[in-house]
Structure formats: C-alpha cells, structure tokens
C-alpha cells in the first residue's frame, strides 16, 4: 500500500536513555569520548532517516501511522557495526558441524559421527571451529582421528582461527596429497616423522589443496547463508558490517539476496585477493578490469575494497615478525606475497581508486603494509582509508607513521579473550599483543570487529574483552594497562567502525539526518560493572527505521 506523505514520524522510540555517540572521527582521533547522553529521551525516524532526537517527547511527531515504541527506560545506542567479519561464510558455516563447543578430541569425533550417520556415502562432511587450546589434552586432531569417523566420506574441519584445517585420509586421497607433495607457496602440509601427511593443512595456500576439490557452493546455499546470518546479526544488534574475502560469485549472491529482500544488514563487500586463485600478475590484471570500485552501490549493499591476506597468526608462527618467535624459535613467520608484490598491488589499487584492507598480525607484515599504504597515497592522494586488519603484535615505532598517514586498524578483542593466544607466544611478544590503548593514545583510529566466524559476532563480548582484558582461556587479565573505557569500546563498534566503509557521515551515531539504525539494549554500558556488559541483551534492532529484531513487544 502506498502511503501519502505526512510530516509525522514513521517510528518513534520514547522513554529511553540515548547514547548518541555524536562525535566526529577527527574528535575521536584526538581522544574525545564524551558524547551526548540524553536521559528520558526519544528518537524519531522517517523514510529511514533520523528526524528528531531529544528529551521528553515531541507529540507533534506522532501521527496516526506512527509506530510508537515504549523503550521502558532501557538504553538506545546506534546500530552496531562490525568492521571486519566474514558474514556470508559464517552463515554457511551455521550449516556445518559446529565443533566450537567440543571439549575434547573424543567429543569432536562423536559430533562428526552424528553427522556421518545422516550423510550419504561419498558426500563431504564439514566441521568448523575446533580449538585444541581449550581441551585438557592440547593436541591437534590428525587424519588418524578423523579416520575413526569414516573412511568413505571425505572430512574437512577448520580450526577456530580458520588458518588451519584437518582432513581425513579420504580427503587427502581425493586431493592427491601424498608424501611426495611439496608444500605449496605460502602454506604447509603437516607431516609425521616419516614425512607422510598427517591431515593438518596450514594457511589458505595448503588448505586450498583440499578446498579446491570440494564441490562448489551453490548460489542458493550462499543466499541462505546471507539470510541466516542476517538473523544472527540482527539479534546481536549489528546493522552493518564489512564482509571480507568474497569472490565474484559471492557478490552475485549478495546482490540476489538484496533484490529478493533477504538481506537484513548493510553489507560492505570486499573482493579477496587470494594467492590460491592466481599469481600477482593475474590479480593486477583483475584490479584493472574490475567493473566496480570502492563505494559502488547503495546504503544497503556496496563495494568496500580489496582484502589481502598478507600473513598468518602468531599462535602457529605464521604471522611475519621482525624477529623469530620465542615459542617456535626456528621461524619468524612469513608473508604470503613479497614486499615488492604488496607495494605493487597497493599502488595499482590506489591508481584505480580501490580501498585496501590488509590482514597483518605480525610486526614485520605491518611494517610492509604501512609502507605499501604510504606508496599508495603517493599515487593517489585521495580519502581511500587503507587499513590494517588485526595488527596483533605491534611495534611502538609504527604509531607515528600510522598517525601521520591516517592508517586505522580494525581489531578483535574477543579473539584475545577466547583463544588465549597471548599465553603461548612468549612474554616479550605478549607484551606487544593487541595494545589498543597505545594505538588510541597515539592518535590511531581503532575500530571494533570480531572476524566472525573466528569468534562469535556478539559485539558485547568484544566490548567486555576490550574493557577488562580478561582472558577466558586462562582467567588472566593481561596487559591491564591497556584496558579501555566503556565509552571507548562503544565508539569502536559505532562511529570508528563506520569510518572503514566511508559511512561515518551518516552512521555510527544517533543524530538528525543519519540513517535510522538503532539498538535497544537492557544494559547501561557506561554506568555498570564491566562483568555485566558481556551479558547485555538486545531487545530490539532497528535498521533503516524498520524493526528487524524484536525480543519485546512494546508497541503502544
Ligand atoms: Zn578475517
């Protein structure tokens, strides 16, 4: 039904405390955190935009068609933004065997056996997110363990970090991986003492040997993943995210999901520059020929940039470091492409107006990424906002350069809390691990994200981790001097994250003229003991002025 235009609001939320986060990114970089808080407030929206914010209630905004919500003295915050995750893949993973809660290797095997019982012979069995670090016996599974499940179905299970997978003998056989198979460039095939593959594959280059023979994802499955993840994100209060590592077919599925009304979050899509799909000359050619560019699209679905996976993770010794690891002294890690290649990609990307996001966990890979961005800005002095994803182990001498060249980082506090990586990488490196406050104090913009499905997309778990630095893996608070304030944590998941998708002029704060994305929560984040923050309940999520998640029914 077409509505006639009227001056009243489409949606009005009253009786709430509004945390507006009405700060500019420039103010945030200067350390400002005291945004406006409105007690006994209201917010009104029309045609997907905020048209009024204030205290009390402006009755003139309420017309016959206005949906009025009584917020029951709860807290209204801007729609939350996850600036680095893998939403579509997380949605597809929801359909895999979830191994995250397996408390032992035996339990992992049992869960896979349950799936095997209902899977036709010969079909792939996929599992997700095992993590031996939370098991009593901290020993990775091997092909021998998975062979106990079945010899007839190929099995592949990704580790929580998504940088390692384990497969069974059937999968090794189908992929043709034998004792004679050399390690692919940028990846490692795990082996026993005799040099036989043990089923573990490290980094995408090696994991790709198996993943490339798994039957292609269908478009229907992709769209279903996008739709199912939308429900999860809405329930978590997330209204916008950057979805990294996408191939052209993934982007097509996104467009179809959007056109069919099955996309319920603002999706900012990153093309994946993946060494496993081609060499650097191939990718340089792709950049030149890509029919889109950063910013192409609309407020619900648009192109973000190019994602480059530049190194691995510290725990496995695959992140590129300036010096060898304390816990694996024979290596200082490695980058997936050379320094020259990275700089070449960044310069060409800049020339073609692409924004570039680089996965860098090691200090050495960050050195190169920073240098590449500086070179990119020499080619094109635009507002590209090239950024580093993770920046797990930092060096303080990087901060002045990052500030000078405006290189922000998107970080995942939940990873530190759930995976306990800092406890195994040695004291020196742990002392430089995820040093958010040092970055913020140094004038570097730090945004919140989860890298979901690496960890749960729940932003309140991430905020809690950033505020407490409490490691759930070993109960230790580490680098306690790095704790952030609740206001800083909320800013990370709102205005700072909006910057990465060039949306900070219309998103990440509740202000007149901005998009009408809000989350009603039960917890006064700024005014409560930190422990309660991780138990925050989302009551309603509003996207574009429409309710997309509703745990209450308070329409009046
Ligand atoms: Zn990621």
């Amino acid at each position: 039904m077409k509505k006639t235009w009227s001056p009243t609001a489409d949606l009005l939320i009253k009786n709430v405390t509004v945390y507006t986060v009405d700060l500019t990114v420039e103010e945030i970089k200067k350390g400002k955190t005291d945004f406006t808080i409105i007690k006994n407030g209201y917010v009104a929206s029309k045609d997907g935009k905020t048209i009024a914010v204030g205290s009390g209630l402006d009755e003139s905004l309420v017309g016959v068609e206005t949906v009025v919500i009584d917020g029951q003295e709860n807290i209204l915050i801007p729609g939350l933004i996850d600036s680095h995750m893998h939403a579509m893949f997380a949605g597809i993973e929801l359909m895999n065997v979830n191994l995250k809660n397996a408390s032992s290797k035996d339990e992992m095997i049992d869960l896979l056996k349950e799936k095997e019982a209902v899977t036709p012979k010969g079909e792939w069995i996929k599992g997700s997110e095992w993590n031996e670090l939370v098991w009593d016996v901290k020993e990775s599974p091997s092909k021998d363990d998975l062979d106990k499940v079945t010899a007839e179905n190929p099995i592949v299970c990704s580790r929580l970090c998504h940088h390692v997978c384990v497969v069974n003998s059937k999968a090794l056989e189908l992929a043709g991986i034998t004792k004679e198979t050399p390690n692919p460039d940028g990846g490692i095939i795990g082996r026993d003492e005799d040099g036989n593959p043990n089923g573990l594959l490290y980094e995408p280059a090696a994991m790709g040997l198996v993943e490339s023979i798994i039957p292609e994802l269908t478009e229907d499955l992709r769209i279903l993943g996008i739709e199912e993840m939308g429900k999860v994100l809405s329930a978590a209060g997330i209204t916008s995210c950057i979805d990294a590592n996408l191939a052209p077919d993934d982007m097509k599925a996104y467009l179809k999901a959007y056109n069919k009304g099955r996309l319920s979050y603002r999706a900012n899509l990153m093309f994946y520059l993946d060494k496993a799909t081609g060499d650097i000359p191939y990718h340089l050619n792709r950049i030149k020929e890509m029919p889109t560019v950063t910013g192409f699209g609309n407020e619900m679905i648009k192109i973000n940039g190019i994602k480059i996976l530049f190194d691995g993770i510290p725990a496995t010794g695959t992140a590129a470091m300036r010096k060898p690891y304390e816990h694996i002294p024979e290596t200082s890690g490695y980058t997936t492409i050379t320094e020259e290649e990275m700089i070449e990609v960044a310069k060409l990307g800049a020339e073609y107006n692409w924004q570039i996001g680089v996965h860098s966990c090691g200090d050495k890979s960050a050195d190169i990424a920073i240098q590449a961005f500086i070179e990119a800005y020499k080619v094109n002095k635009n507002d590209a906002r090239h950024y580093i994803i993770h920046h797990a182990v930092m060096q303080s001498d990087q901060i002045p350069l990052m500030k000078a060249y405006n290189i922000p980082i998107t970080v995942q506090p939940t990873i530190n809390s759930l995976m306990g990586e800092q406890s195994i990488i040695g004291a020196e490196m742990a002392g430089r691990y995820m040093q958010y406050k040092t970055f913020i104090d140094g004038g570097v913009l730090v945004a919140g994200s989860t890298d979901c499905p690496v960890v749960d997309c729940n932003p309140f778990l991430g905020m809690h981790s950033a505020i407490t630095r409490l490691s759930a893996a070993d109960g230790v608070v580490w680098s306690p001097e790095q704790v952030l304030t609740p206001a800083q944590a909320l800013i990370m998941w709102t205005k700072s994250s909006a910057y990465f998708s060039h949306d900070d002029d219309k998103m990440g704060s509740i202000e007149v003229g901005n998009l009408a994305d809000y989350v009603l929560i039960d917890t006064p984040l700024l005014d409560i003991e930190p422990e309660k923050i991780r138990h925050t309940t989302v009551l309603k999520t509003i996207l574009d002025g429409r309710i997309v998640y509703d745990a209450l029914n308070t329409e009046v």
Side-chain angles (χ1 to χ4, degrees):
M1 188 182 76
K2 218 165 170 69
K3 285 193 305 181
T4 50
W5 194 86
S6 84
T8 54
D10 296 336
L11 177 78
L12 186 136
I13 307 168
K14 64 175 186 179
N15 195 17
V16 286
T17 296
V18 186
Y19 293 172
T20 62
V21 197
D22 57 346
L23 299 170
T24 65
V25 165
E26 281 313 307
E27 287 172 332
I28 293 167
K29 286 202 295 197
K30 290 189 183 118
K32 191 166 158 54
T33 60
D34 57 335
F35 49 78
T36 307
I37 296 166
I38 305 169
K39 294 250 168 77
N40 184 27
Y42 73 92
V43 172
S45 74
K46 185 173 188 67
D47 298 331
K49 294 227 168 96
T50 301
I51 56 166
V53 189
S55 59
L57 180 63
D58 181 350
E59 293 284 355
S60 70
L61 293 164
V62 182
V64 281
E65 286 179 338
T66 306
V67 174
V68 177
I69 293 170
D70 182 350
Q72 298 176 346
E73 299 179 0
N74 287 298
I75 311 293
L76 195 73
I77 59 175
L80 297 168
I81 304 167
D82 190 309
S83 43
H84 177 74
M85 69 181 318
H86 307 279
M88 188 197 78
F89 287 109
I92 292 168
E93 266 200 22
L94 291 173
M95 293 162 238
N96 291 354
V97 182
N98 183 357
L99 302 169
K100 193 187 279 180
N101 298 324
S103 56
S104 65
K105 197 187 281 180
D106 287 341
E107 203 178 324
M108 171 174 174
I109 293 168
D110 288 345
L111 288 166
L112 290 167
K113 277 183 179 162
E114 280 174 29
K115 182 75 171 180
E116 189 268 338
V118 295
T119 306
K121 293 289 164 242
E123 263 185 33
W124 283 81
I125 295 172
K126 295 189 203 169
S128 302
E129 308 194 7
W130 54 272
N131 179 16
E132 81 289 353
L133 293 180
V134 298
W135 298 347
D136 281 344
V137 183
K138 297 181 183 7
E139 184 187 75
S140 295
S142 69
K143 74 169 170 43
D144 297 335
D145 298 309
L146 299 194
D147 285 348
K148 291 177 197 157
V149 178
T150 175
E152 293 173 83
N153 300 68
I155 306 178
V156 55
C157 300
S158 61
R159 192 176 178 275
L160 187 66
C161 61
H162 290 71
H163 284 261
V164 185
C165 73
V166 61
V167 302
N168 67 349
S169 294
K170 185 73 184 174
L172 285 173
E173 178 198 319
L174 291 174
I177 301 172
T178 64
K179 191 174 180 176
E180 280 69 46
T181 311
N183 286 336
D185 201 7
I188 293 169
I189 298 168
R191 298 173 200 267
D192 62 20
E193 306 90 74
D194 304 323
N196 292 309
N198 63 10
L200 288 160
L201 301 168
Y202 298 89
E203 299 304 321
M207 292 156 68
L209 297 174
V210 165
E211 278 162 8
S212 60
I213 60 159
I214 300 173
E216 274 279 303
L217 289 173
T218 62
E219 186 169 89
D220 284 349
L221 187 63
R222 285 181 168 96
I223 294 173
L224 192 61
I226 292 163
E227 185 171 38
E228 290 301 308
M229 198 59 201
K231 294 174 192 164
V232 174
L233 293 175
S234 297
I238 295 168
T239 51
S240 177
C241 76
I242 295 177
D243 191 343
N245 297 28
L246 300 171
D249 282 346
D250 305 326
M251 302 233 173
K252 275 186 213 155
Y254 255 111
L255 192 57
K256 280 211 172 158
Y258 170 65
N259 285 333
K260 289 169 186 257
R262 294 169 71 180
L263 176 64
S264 60
Y265 50 95
R266 301 187 191 276
N268 297 283
L269 313 177
M270 287 188 103
F271 274 111
Y272 190 26
L273 195 151
D274 177 6
K275 195 79 190 291
T277 63
D279 57 12
I280 289 300
Y282 164 79
H283 286 297
L284 291 172
N285 228 1
R286 270 178 87 208
I287 291 172
K288 288 182 194 162
E289 290 176 354
M290 238 159 342
T292 59
V293 72
T294 292
F296 183 88
N298 62 25
E299 285 157 351
M300 270 306 287
I301 177 169
K302 69 176 183 294
I303 302 294
N304 175 255
I306 297 170
K307 151 86 185 280
I308 301 169
L309 178 75
F310 193 35
D311 68 352
I313 57 170
T316 56
T318 51
M321 297 291 177
R322 290 184 189 175
K323 292 207 178 103
Y325 286 90
E326 226 173 278
H327 70 303
I328 317 174
E330 61 273 21
T331 183
S332 54
Y334 54 89
T335 56
T336 57
I337 58 176
T338 66
E339 177 167 359
E340 293 70 33
E341 287 171 331
M342 171 58 82
I343 290 173
E344 212 183 339
V345 170
K347 283 165 74 175
L348 191 78
E351 190 184 331
Y352 283 78
N353 282 301
W354 282 93
Q355 179 182 12
I356 295 165
V358 173
H359 164 120
S360 156
C361 277
D363 50 16
K364 176 71 187 168
S365 61
D367 285 339
I368 299 170
I370 292 164
Q371 205 48 48
F373 294 158
I374 292 171
E375 294 297 324
Y377 281 123
K378 281 184 195 156
V379 172
N380 191 341
K381 289 187 182 41
N382 60 354
D383 183 26
R385 309 184 183 183
H386 306 308
Y387 60 94
I388 293 178
I389 301 160
H390 309 305
H391 209 330
V393 178
M394 53 90 74
Q395 292 280 0
S396 48
D397 58 15
Q398 293 166 335
I399 290 188
L401 272 178
M402 294 171 74
K403 185 183 178 194
Y405 286 90
N406 187 31
I407 300 169
I409 61 174
T410 172
V411 302
Q412 303 78 28
T414 319
I415 292 185
N416 95 39
S417 125
L418 289 189
M419 289 170 60
E421 198 175 38
Q422 88 291 340
S423 64
I424 57 171
I425 56 176
E428 193 279 328
M429 220 173 251
R432 295 187 285 117
Y433 185 71
M434 297 192 175
Q435 304 287 291
Y436 310 139
K437 187 166 188 298
T438 303
F439 280 113
I440 291 173
D441 291 349
V444 173
L445 191 75
V446 177
S449 61
T450 57
D451 210 0
C452 175
V454 175
V455 291
D456 195 306
C457 67
N458 182 342
F460 302 102
L461 294 181
M463 291 182 207
H464 174 263
S465 299
I467 294 164
T468 63
R469 308 279 296 186
L470 177 68
S471 168
D474 55 16
V476 172
V477 173
W478 95 106
S479 303
E481 74 287 355
Q482 292 290 327
V483 297
L484 300 184
T485 65
Q488 283 175 316
L490 180 60
I491 291 166
M492 282 169 71
W493 259 269
T494 51
K495 190 55 92 180
S496 295
S497 273
Y499 183 78
F500 287 66
S501 56
H502 294 257
D503 284 321
D504 51 304
D505 57 344
K506 53 186 165 300
M507 227 190 263
S509 56
I510 301 178
E511 295 178 88
V512 170
N514 277 7
L515 297 171
D517 297 350
Y518 324 117
V519 189
L520 187 68
I521 55 173
D522 68 345
T523 305
L525 303 173
L526 305 183
D527 197 16
I528 199 160
E529 57 271 41
E531 175 53 29
K532 296 249 166 77
I533 291 176
R534 68 168 134 182
H535 303 295
T536 299
T537 299
V538 171
L539 303 172
K540 280 180 198 287
T541 301
I542 288 113
L543 170 73
D544 216 35
R546 290 174 296 113
I547 300 168
V548 290
Y549 174 77
D550 201 353
L552 281 179
N553 190 6
T554 54
E555 277 180 34
V556 289

